[in-house]
Amino acid sequence: MPKELRKWRHLLWPCAMLYGAGVRIRNLFFDWGMLPIQPYPLPVICVGNLSAGGSGKTPMVEYLIRLLKDRYRVGVLSRGYKRKTRGYILAGEESTASDIGDESCQIKYKYPDVIVAVDANRCRGIENLLALPEDLQPQVILLDDGFQHRYVCPSLSLLITDSHRIYTRDKLMPVGWLREPASSAERTDIVVVSKCDASLQTEESRVIRDRMNMNPYQSLFFSSITFLPFRGVFPEACASRTLDSLQKDEGVLLITGIATPAPLMEAVRKRSEQVEAISFADHHVFGKKDIRRMQTALQRMDAGRSLILCTEKDAARIRHNPCFPEAWRCRMYYVPIETTLLFGGDKQLNRIILRHVHLFYGRR
């Protein structure tokens, strides 16, 4: 919510109460069986959240991909937010962000052997995946941002919540950021508190755990973001680099079109004294006006040496965008990120996920 509106947000409580009532009634219809919930004959692992905006769902989906892809055929199904197409689309090597959305495009580019599909109707999307030839059908489906899609009955649910905006301390939209009441978290099996400081202490995690008031059947994990070496947006034009390779006097034009760019900005500014940061809205499609703004920023720096840095999701939108000058390709990099589980949580989470998939097939 923009800062100038925060002081007025108490006036929006009637809207939040009406919105919350509508969401609760909808959930009751599902709970009472008045609206159908469809189970499927394979593991469907839902990765979602309760809040609007980035909480770290895509890095967690990628974590699960890395865990499962060498054991099972993995399919990822998402809505394909901000794409210019409609209906069900099975991603291919040539799919762009306009076709399937930037997050799905990022996943397909990064893991080309993984089955990636988009459909706002998740039931139809799953049915289309199951209609693929038997040797191409996914054996596990990861439902990206599917927590509110209750027509699908997931076999396992992971709920991601940003450590800076944990759902138990948030409010319903439009007063806060919650898409559902915090009580809806009771539907999940696993909660992951994301974007924690890597130095989070055990005592601090216990305080968070106590505040969240978890149910006995739920598991709680804490994760942080790990920045990986830079990669070229156009890999044929430039070699990989790392954050530590930045020189103090090396100019960096940092462009971000994501929900929470602050962690990346902080990491880059620790290493370079000459950083120009331009932030856009989440999923922003860059146009000619934006390019002119970037050119102006580059002119304020040593344009010949300055890097142009973006996030991995931005790279998915830039790669097929004709507005970016060809001369920039040799210095355009993106910063991949990975989810890192804290307190040795990776072993426990891996065990839960693998056991769930194994036992699911063992029942058949």
Side-chain angles (χ1 to χ4, degrees), residues 224-251:
S224 65
I225 291 173
T226 299
F227 294 109
L228 302 180
F230 305 165
R231 294 179 186 170
V233 175
F234 304 95
E236 70 282 357
C238 47
S240 296
R241 294 188 57 177
T242 64
L243 270 173
D244 291 333
S245 73
L246 283 178
Q247 303 297 315
K248 283 288 185 181
D249 62 345
E250 190 172 14

Side-chain angles (χ1 to χ4, degrees), residues 37-211:
I37 301 177
Q38 177 65 48
Y40 291 93
L42 80 169
V44 177
I45 302 176
C46 172
V47 179
N49 63 3
L50 291 181
S51 63
S55 61
K57 296 184 299 296
T58 300
M60 179 53 66
V61 169
E62 292 184 351
Y63 179 98
L64 297 177
I65 289 173
R66 292 191 295 275
L67 174 65
L68 295 167
K69 67 183 178 66
D70 294 333
R71 298 175 174 89
Y72 303 95
R73 282 193 303 276
V74 176
V76 179
L77 178 64
S78 73
R79 172 185 172 186
Y81 187 64
K82 289 281 189 176
R83 61 186 170 120
K84 295 182 179 179
T85 57
R86 292 185 178 182
Y88 169 81
I89 294 181
L90 183 65
E93 291 182 3
E94 302 302 317
S95 296
T96 68
S98 295
D99 300 327
I100 59 174
D102 51 12
E103 290 162 340
S104 298
C105 190
Q106 170 184 318
I107 290 170
K108 187 62 179 176
Y109 181 83
K110 199 169 184 175
Y111 304 101
D113 295 332
V114 168
I115 304 158
V116 177
V118 295
D119 198 336
N121 184 327
R122 304 306 174 88
C123 291
R124 181 178 61 194
I126 293 175
E127 289 161 6
N128 276 301
L129 287 174
L130 295 180
L132 291 171
E134 188 173 351
D135 61 335
L136 297 178
Q137 287 179 15
Q139 296 169 313
V140 180
I141 291 177
L142 305 179
L143 200 61
D144 186 10
D145 195 16
F147 197 72
Q148 283 72 40
H149 293 267
R150 296 205 58 192
Y151 290 101
V152 173
C153 179
S155 59
L156 191 73
S157 284
L158 284 77
L159 192 67
I160 317 300
T161 185
D162 189 328
S163 62
H164 304 96
R165 200 172 67 231
I166 293 174
Y167 62 80
T168 54
R169 288 178 280 171
D170 206 346
K171 307 295 181 185
L172 281 168
M173 296 192 300
V175 175
W177 293 95
L178 291 183
R179 296 190 278 183
E180 292 190 65
S183 59
S184 295
E186 294 181 359
R187 300 200 309 268
T188 196
D189 304 288
I190 297 167
V191 175
V192 179
V193 180
S194 65
K195 304 181 183 179
C196 298
D197 192 302
S199 61
L200 182 72
Q201 299 298 307
T202 305
E203 293 77 11
E204 296 174 282
S205 70
R206 286 175 181 158
V207 171
I208 296 173
R209 182 185 296 271
D210 291 343
R211 286 176 179 170

